[in-house]
Amino acid sequence: MFRTDINDIRLKMNEFGRLNKPFLFAINFEMTEGFIIENPLSQSDILFEINGRGNIPKTKMVEEVSSRFDYQPLSYTDYKKKFDIVLDGLRKGDSYLTNLTVKTRVSFDLFLEDIMRMSKAPYKLFVPNRFVCFSPERFVCIRGSKISTNPMKGTIDASIPDAENKILNDFKETAEHNTIVDLLRNDLSIFAQNVQVDRFRYIDRIGTNKQAILQVSSEISGRLKGDSSKKLGDIVIGMLPAGSVSGAPKEETIRIIQKAECEPRGFYTGVFGYYDGDTLDTAVLIRYIEKDGDKYYFRSGGGITAYSDCKSEYEEVIEKVYLPI
């Protein structure tokens, strides 16, 4: 099921798109591993749900919710070492926005499958003995000749007084969001024309096991050129890695990420999606818990610019360690 030849996945996505055959796919951040499953609703090896559509058995919903969710975050000292590597690249002009991510050791009383079933998130994916994802962020949606994307950039604790106005008027957050919108407009323009921003910096409220948070997103859309709507693999893989979880410019920024993070991300911050024979809806693999032996790690991150404050960025990556239940 898992493949290391991403070109094979690309060709399969193109083929299934031309034939209007449903499929489920996922590709990791480094584009070194992925999978594609034909007619995914007929299998139960990998469970998923995308905006209410999926193969999660309704008869096995979890009724009891455990309150135990412990985490051991990376120390501020260790985070600052990574942050300083990123900041050095920004000051040299090699990048003007870099997404820095970290791993946090977590423990809980639930199984990963339980977390997936209980999660209140529009995009959910569970791969047994590997990871669970409960993502709030769409990557791209392709319906007919229309393509749209919803980059998410900006997070704040909803309990902070006047939280919405604070994040919308924050200079650093605004600059970061503008950069991602520009990057995604350019990415869409490779395959689409008449690219425009339909909604700019709108707010979503997300409930968690700790507190509600506010997330800032934008919506960008365009019309696919020629017969591009039947080349689903070309479009999706041609836009990877996702701009909101890498940065700009991508090539140099990824070098900085590799130097700062010191290990591959794997499927974290990759993408996955479901094609129902008519519409392809995909998500960024964030809000993600992975299994490594008998240990579990929650991955989280945030965008760093030259205006970023290390302490604030450190607090944000910890704030994102939560269960959406």
Side-chain angles (χ1 to χ4, degrees):
M1 182 180 297
F2 285 87
R3 312 176 186 203
T4 56
D5 187 349
I6 301 304
N7 188 55
D8 182 47
I9 295 175
R10 179 183 66 83
L11 293 174
K12 285 290 185 185
M13 291 174 69
N14 286 345
E15 176 189 350
F16 293 160
R18 285 195 300 271
L19 298 174
N20 301 111
K21 284 187 176 181
F23 64 84
L24 174 73
F25 82 96
I27 297 172
N28 71 357
F29 179 75
E30 290 80 18
M31 290 187 283
T32 56
E33 185 182 17
F35 65 78
I36 184 166
I37 302 171
E38 186 178 357
N39 296 318
L41 294 180
S42 65
Q43 58 84 44
S44 57
D45 294 326
I46 292 178
L47 301 181
F48 74 98
E49 186 174 278
I50 292 183
N51 284 314
R53 300 174 300 167
N55 65 343
I56 301 173
K58 302 303 181 184
T59 57
K60 296 183 179 180
M61 299 305 290
V62 178
E63 296 180 359
E64 296 296 326
V65 179
S66 170
S67 60
R68 190 177 79 85
F69 181 69
D70 301 320
Y71 53 96
Q72 303 166 14
L74 184 75
S75 71
Y76 176 72
T77 299
D78 288 338
Y79 178 83
K80 190 174 185 304
K81 291 176 183 177
K82 298 176 182 293
F83 179 90
D84 287 344
I85 291 171
V86 170
L87 196 61
D88 181 62
L90 293 165
R91 287 172 173 168
K92 288 178 178 177
D94 296 331
S95 173
Y96 43 95
L97 172 63
T98 301
N99 190 266
L100 175 63
T101 75
V102 299
K103 291 167 64 173
T104 298
R105 175 81 181 275
V106 294
S107 59
F108 37 80
D109 296 327
L110 299 165
F111 295 107
L112 290 185
E113 185 176 348
D114 294 336
I115 293 172
M116 189 271 308
R117 294 179 192 279
M118 296 162 59
S119 297
K120 295 178 177 65
Y123 300 94
K124 300 193 286 188
L125 181 66
F126 168 63
V127 178
N129 296 310
R130 295 200 65 170
F131 66 83
V132 65
C133 174
F134 35 91
S135 177
E137 182 176 0
R138 170 177 279 166
F139 178 47
V140 296
C141 181
I142 300 173
R143 182 180 291 109
S145 63
K146 181 180 179 180
I147 183 171
S148 59
T149 185
N150 298 72
M152 180 177 286
K153 191 59 66 177
T155 306
I156 191 170
D157 182 346
S159 67
I160 293 173
D162 203 27
E164 182 171 335
N165 283 328
K166 282 186 177 179
I167 195 165
L168 291 178
N169 292 300
D170 182 280
F171 176 77
K172 177 262 177 186
E173 295 288 354
T174 301
E176 183 181 338
H177 199 97
N178 286 341
T179 298
I180 288 301
V181 168
D182 283 344
L183 177 61
L184 268 295
R185 285 176 66 187
N186 289 336
D187 282 354
L188 283 192
S189 295
I190 297 171
F191 303 99
Q193 54 195 2
N194 301 323
V195 175
Q196 62 185 23
V197 179
D198 300 312
R199 290 188 291 167
F200 182 65
R201 300 191 80 207
Y202 62 88
I203 299 283
D204 285 320
R205 184 183 182 92
I206 298 174
T208 81
N209 65 307
K210 297 190 295 184
Q211 76 278 322
I213 60 175
L214 302 182
Q215 295 267 193
V216 185
S217 301
S218 287
E219 181 176 4
I220 309 161
S221 69
R223 292 287 170 184
L224 292 169
K225 303 171 183 176
D227 63 348
S228 294
S229 61
K230 296 299 181 182
K231 297 179 180 177
L232 301 179
D234 290 356
I235 295 168
V236 171
I237 293 174
M239 290 180 63
L240 295 180
S244 65
V245 287
S246 53
K250 283 187 183 179
E251 188 173 342
E252 287 300 322
T253 299
I254 289 171
R255 292 195 183 98
I256 296 171
I257 287 171
Q258 291 170 339
K259 184 178 180 181
E261 296 184 6
C262 301
E263 64 179 336
R265 293 182 180 179
F267 279 94
Y268 174 59
T269 66
V271 300
F272 80 100
Y274 172 57
Y275 176 65
D276 64 3
D278 176 66
T279 299
L280 175 65
D281 199 357
T282 69
V284 183
L285 282 156
I286 59 172
R287 309 301 193 265
Y288 175 102
I289 301 174
E290 64 188 11
K291 188 176 188 291
D292 185 0
D294 61 350
K295 298 180 176 64
Y296 295 91
Y297 296 91
F298 194 112
R299 297 249 190 169
S300 59
I304 311 298
T305 73
Y307 306 106
S308 293
D309 172 71
C310 186
K311 188 69 173 178
S312 297
E313 297 296 340
Y314 176 69
E315 291 171 352
E316 179 177 326
V317 298
I318 295 174
E319 186 176 86
K320 289 177 178 175
V321 178
Y322 68 82
L323 296 180
I325 57 179

